[in-house]
């Protein structure tokens, strides 16, 4: 019995010593890990603060870069509507105010100002003898802010001086002056033949939108940084609570129950997150579809299967999700593999090779054809996602701007740029097919005398009358253009090019119109140049030949 008691006492002593050692070890560990306990939260907070600062700066810079590109695009688009021929005829002096070219340019830049309500000043400048001077200004001549042709612009910046050499559009500002805060956008007006800068187009735009966009990006960055900061604080608080909870769980031996509780919370959060992302996916304005590519034995794409679509895509296709998911594209879109554009090959490059592709094409969905910007990317090999953005309205605006840049404002005929754009295309067809053709060069006789004696309004009336005669005398398919102040050209398409027949028909049209409209001074000189595939020539040479013939006709009239 005594021996058994001594063994029990020795066992209790060992347990007490072991507990004492563990307590001392725990106290030492707490001291050594105290700093490490708060090191992770401190590093996370510091990283969030630094990252937020960088994010705000990057978003502000991105916003300014986007708005700068937008303003430059507006200036370049507006500059493209300026007729370089009119600009080239100006001297940059006070005498330009009496010329028709100056008045036409004034109307053009005034129209640009009217179509852009946030623009305060629109002007054209050129560099003469190393000094930047004004060519034309949108302000009224009686305005205190009006700049006459030839007036110097002493505040020209180095970038403005350089644009005459490098033809690079740029934006200056924001600049604050007595009119407010402005952004100045400059774009070159290029000569169509030499490509040199003939003038610089400028427009001063109110900076409210510019500043608002940058402020919005900055606020967006601050909000994101704040949200990340709040999430970080929550994360840190959760981190500390979890550590203390784990210690409490260890002491209370409830690790299993706590783990089950945490798993349940995480599962609920994941379900909520999935519900939110699904709602966001379905509420997207752009159509979205997720696919798997199908290939033949040689690895060539032959079809693709729809795996997921959003509500917007259902509306585009006019078919419900249940009728789309799991179906092949060639089943849902009959004739897909026979279309002019190889959509299957296009998507195959994305799914099989990882290319990110974007294209704008007209697509017929639900019986309606509209323009879409199609962006495709690969989330994983063999699969691809597509976003369809409706850009029909944007294409319509682009077509309107293109029409303005190719059409003469006074007559509604093609201008010089429009003539060369269409005639060069037709000329390539002539060379390829070997057909003969002709070019009719027409000059409105006595326009200067009419302008001098009866005024430019009467002169404009005769110019419009000449355009109306040409429209009535030639076919709608023929290319009719006003290429100068009193000069017109006609490029008949697939027509009989017998000179006598053309001249006689034109004379009859002029005489009939002159009697009908009461314009006794309406007269035209005509020259015709002929294109023979056996003796090929350029469009420029054909234009010169018809021009020489026209001037020969005009000289014969003078000698009579």
């Amino acid at each position: 019995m005594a021996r058994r008691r001594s063994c029990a006492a020795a066992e209790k002593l060992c347990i007490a010593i072991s507990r004492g050692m563990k307590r001392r070890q725990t106290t030492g560990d707490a001291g050594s890990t105290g700093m490490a306990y708060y090191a992770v939260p401190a590093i996370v907070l510091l990283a969030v603060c630094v990252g937020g600062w960088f994010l705000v700066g990057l978003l502000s810079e991105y916003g300014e870069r986007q708005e700068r590109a937008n303003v430059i695009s507006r200036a370049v688009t507006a500059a493209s509507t300026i007729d370089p021929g009119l600009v080239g005829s100006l001297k940059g002096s006070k005498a330009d105010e009496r010329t028709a070219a100056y008045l036409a340019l004034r109307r053009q830049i005034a129209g640009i100002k009217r179509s852009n309500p946030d623009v305060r000043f629109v002007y054209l400048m050129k560099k003469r003898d190393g000094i930047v001077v004004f060519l034309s200004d949108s302000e009224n001549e009686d305005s205190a802010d009006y700049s006459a042709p030839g007036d110097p612009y002493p505040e020209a910046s180095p970038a403005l001086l350089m644009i005459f050499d490098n033809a690079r559009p740029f934006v200056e500002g924001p600049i604050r002056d007595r009119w407010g805060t402005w952004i100045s956008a400059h774009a070159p007006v290029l000569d169509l033949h030499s490509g040199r800068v003939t003038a610089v187009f400028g427009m001063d735009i109110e900076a409210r939108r510019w500043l608002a966009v940058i402020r919005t990006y900055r606020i967006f960055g601050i909000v994101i940084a704040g949200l990340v900061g709040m999430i970080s604080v929550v994360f840190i608080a959760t981190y500390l609570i979890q550590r203390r909870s784990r210690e409490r769980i260890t002491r209370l031996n409830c690790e299993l129950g706590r783990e089950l509780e945490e798993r349940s919370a995480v599962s609920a959060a994941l379900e909520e997150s999935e519900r939110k992302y699904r709602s966001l996916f379905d509420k997207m304005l752009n159509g979205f579809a997720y696919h798997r590519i199908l290939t033949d034995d040689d690895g060539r794409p032959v079809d693709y299967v729809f795996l997921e679509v959003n509500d917007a895509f259902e509306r585009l296709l006019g078919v419900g999700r249940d009728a789309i998911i799991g179906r092949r594209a060639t089943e849902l879109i009959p004739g897909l593999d026979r279309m002019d554009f190889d959509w299957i090959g296009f998507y195959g490059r994305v799914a099989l090779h990882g290319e990110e592709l974007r294209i704008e094409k007209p697509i017929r969905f639900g019986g309606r054809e509209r323009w879409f910007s199609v962006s495709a990317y690969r989330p994983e090999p063999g699969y691809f996602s597509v976003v369809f953005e409706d850009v029909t309205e944007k294409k319509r605006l682009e077509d309107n701007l293109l029409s303005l840049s190719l059409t003469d404002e006074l007559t509604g005929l093609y201008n010089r740029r429009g003539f060369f754009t269409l005639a060069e295309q037709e000329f390539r067809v002539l060379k390829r097919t070997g057909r003969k053709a002709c070019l009719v060069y027409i000059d409105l006789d006595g326009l200067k005398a009419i302008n001098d004696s009866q005024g430019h309004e009467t002169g404009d009336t005769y110019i419009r009358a000449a355009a109306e005669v040409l429209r009535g005398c030639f076919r709608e398919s023929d290319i009719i253009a006003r290429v100068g102040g009193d000069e017109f050209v006609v490029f008949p398409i697939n027509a009989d090019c017998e000179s006598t027949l053309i001249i006689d028909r034109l004379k009859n049209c002029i005489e009939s119109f002159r009697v009908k409209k009461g314009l006794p001074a309406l007269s035209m000189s005509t020259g015709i140049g002929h294109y023979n595939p056996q003796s090929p020539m350029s469009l420029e040479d054909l234009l010169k030949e018809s021009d020489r013939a026209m001037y020969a006709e005009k000289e014969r009239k003078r000698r009579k």
Side-chain angles (χ1 to χ4, degrees):
M1 289 290 295
R3 188 173 180 182
R4 195 174 292 171
R5 287 194 198 99
S6 63
C7 288
E11 184 177 354
K12 290 181 181 179
L13 178 61
C14 289
I15 293 174
I17 293 173
S18 175
R19 287 178 177 174
M21 291 180 65
K22 287 182 179 179
R23 191 177 295 112
R24 286 195 299 272
Q25 184 177 1
T26 302
T27 303
D29 290 343
S32 62
T33 60
M35 292 182 64
Y37 191 83
Y38 295 98
V40 173
I43 292 172
V44 170
L45 280 176
L46 179 61
V48 168
C49 292
V50 173
W53 182 74
F54 273 107
L55 177 64
V56 171
L58 288 173
L59 283 176
S60 299
E61 181 181 350
Y62 175 79
E64 182 172 356
R65 189 165 58 248
Q66 290 294 102
E67 191 60 19
R68 188 176 299 274
N70 176 52
V71 172
I72 287 177
S73 176
R74 289 179 61 185
V76 170
T77 301
S80 68
T81 66
I82 300 298
D83 189 343
L86 296 178
V87 174
S89 65
L90 298 182
K91 305 300 182 183
S93 65
K94 189 71 174 179
D96 287 340
E97 290 182 333
R98 298 188 298 273
T99 64
Y102 174 80
L103 296 176
L105 284 174
R106 285 264 297 168
R107 288 193 295 270
Q108 286 187 3
I109 63 177
I112 292 171
K113 181 180 177 181
R114 285 194 301 272
S115 62
N116 293 271
D118 59 341
V119 174
R120 176 63 179 85
F121 298 104
V122 181
Y123 44 87
L124 286 172
M125 297 182 289
K126 71 180 296 184
K127 191 161 71 172
R128 187 184 64 194
D129 300 327
I131 299 174
V132 176
V133 297
F134 284 93
L135 284 179
S136 184
D137 186 2
S138 63
E139 292 297 294
N140 293 326
E141 294 181 0
D142 56 354
S143 170
D145 302 320
Y146 172 69
S147 297
D151 284 357
Y153 181 60
E155 295 106 2
S157 64
L160 181 56
L161 294 172
M162 286 295 294
I163 193 175
F164 290 94
D165 299 320
N166 58 25
R168 293 177 182 171
F170 69 97
V171 173
E172 291 181 314
I175 301 170
R176 185 180 296 276
D177 57 19
R178 62 191 175 94
W179 294 287
T181 304
W182 306 94
I183 301 296
S184 296
H186 299 88
V189 178
L190 303 178
D191 183 83
L192 295 177
H193 302 293
S194 65
R196 294 182 178 178
V197 177
T198 60
V200 172
F201 172 85
M203 54 195 298
D204 294 344
I205 306 170
E206 289 183 4
R208 284 181 298 181
R209 183 180 183 278
W210 175 290
L211 297 175
V213 169
I214 296 174
R215 185 163 51 249
T216 300
Y217 275 92
R218 186 177 291 117
I219 292 173
F220 182 65
I222 293 172
V223 170
I224 292 178
L227 289 175
V228 173
M230 291 174 62
I231 294 172
S232 301
V233 170
V234 173
F235 168 76
I236 292 169
T238 306
Y239 171 78
L240 296 176
I241 292 171
Q242 284 181 346
R243 286 200 62 169
R244 291 172 182 174
S245 298
R246 281 196 297 269
E247 293 173 359
R248 193 179 303 115
I249 291 169
T250 303
R251 289 194 302 268
L252 300 175
N253 199 20
C254 294
E255 289 185 358
L256 182 59
R258 180 69 66 181
E259 183 177 351
L260 292 175
E261 184 179 340
E262 289 179 356
R263 287 184 179 181
S264 177
V266 170
S267 176
L270 287 175
E271 289 178 1
E272 178 65 16
S273 176
E274 182 179 356
R275 184 188 65 78
K276 290 181 178 179
Y277 279 110
R278 182 70 202 188
S279 176
L280 177 63
F281 175 74
D282 288 337
K283 292 179 180 178
M284 288 174 59
L285 296 178
N286 296 330
F288 177 89
Y290 181 58
H291 317 80
R292 176 169 56 87
I293 199 74
L294 301 178
T295 60
D296 59 15
D297 294 338
D298 296 325
R300 290 189 295 266
V302 294
D303 207 340
Y304 54 91
V305 176
F306 287 87
L307 301 181
E308 185 59 273
V309 297
N310 67 351
D311 293 348
F313 187 84
E314 289 185 58
R315 291 191 294 270
L316 287 177
L317 201 59
V319 181
R321 179 184 278 107
D322 294 339
I324 298 175
I325 304 302
R327 298 279 301 280
R328 292 191 175 202
T330 50
E331 296 173 352
L332 282 172
I333 309 173
L336 176 67
D337 52 350
R338 298 187 300 275
M339 290 183 178
D340 294 337
F341 184 76
D342 184 10
W343 288 104
I344 296 175
F346 176 79
Y347 292 140
R349 291 165 56 191
V350 176
L352 301 178
H353 305 294
E355 299 182 43
E356 291 190 7
L357 300 178
R358 180 179 178 275
I359 191 172
E360 289 187 357
K361 294 289 268 185
I363 304 175
R364 182 172 292 277
F365 277 130
R368 295 186 308 160
E369 183 174 271
R370 297 182 67 82
W371 276 86
F372 286 89
S373 171
V374 182
S375 302
Y377 60 94
R378 181 178 75 171
E380 57 181 307
Y383 296 81
F384 66 95
S385 298
V386 183
V387 177
F388 295 88
E389 180 184 1
D390 191 334
V391 294
T392 305
E393 185 63 19
K394 187 187 91 169
K395 295 297 292 184
R396 185 186 67 79
L397 293 175
E398 289 176 353
D399 291 342
N400 288 343
L401 287 175
L402 179 61
S403 175
L404 288 174
S405 69
L406 300 179
T407 306
D408 176 53
E409 182 180 5
L410 180 61
T411 63
L413 300 176
Y414 291 113
N415 58 20
R416 190 176 187 88
R417 178 185 297 175
F419 170 75
F420 276 100
T421 300
L422 299 176
E424 286 176 351
Q425 179 180 350
E426 180 64 23
F427 214 68
R428 286 193 291 270
V429 174
L430 288 177
K431 290 183 177 180
R432 187 170 64 250
T433 58
R435 289 188 287 106
K436 294 182 179 181
C438 61
L439 186 71
V440 185
Y441 207 106
I442 302 144
D443 183 83
L444 181 58
D445 295 333
L447 180 62
K448 184 178 185 304
I450 294 172
N451 285 332
D452 293 341
S453 61
Q454 302 180 47
H456 286 280
E457 289 187 4
T458 304
D460 289 347
T461 300
Y462 273 84
I463 291 173
R464 285 191 289 267
E468 191 172 346
V469 168
L470 295 178
R471 284 197 192 93
C473 194
F474 292 92
R475 299 169 304 170
E476 186 177 350
S477 60
D478 298 335
I479 302 172
I480 309 173
R482 180 187 176 206
V483 295
D486 56 357
E487 296 179 343
F488 301 83
V489 291
V490 179
F491 198 167
I493 307 300
N494 298 328
D496 186 355
C497 286
E498 178 61 39
S499 300
T500 304
L501 294 176
I502 293 175
I503 293 174
D504 288 344
R505 186 171 75 244
L506 185 56
K507 285 180 179 179
N508 292 334
C509 291
I510 295 171
E511 182 62 29
S512 175
F513 191 88
R514 184 162 48 200
V515 173
K516 180 179 178 182
K517 298 293 184 177
L519 297 174
L522 182 62
S523 174
M524 300 182 197
S525 296
T526 307
I528 301 179
H530 293 272
Y531 174 79
N532 189 338
Q534 303 300 324
S535 303
M537 64 174 66
S538 67
L539 178 59
E540 289 284 354
D541 292 337
L542 183 58
L543 197 64
K544 290 177 182 177
E545 179 183 320
S546 58
D547 185 33
R548 285 193 295 267
M550 182 273 294
Y551 274 105
E553 169 66 16
K554 188 177 283 289
E555 187 62 30
R556 282 194 295 270
K557 286 184 178 181
R558 290 196 188 99
R559 289 198 298 266
K560 287 183 179 180

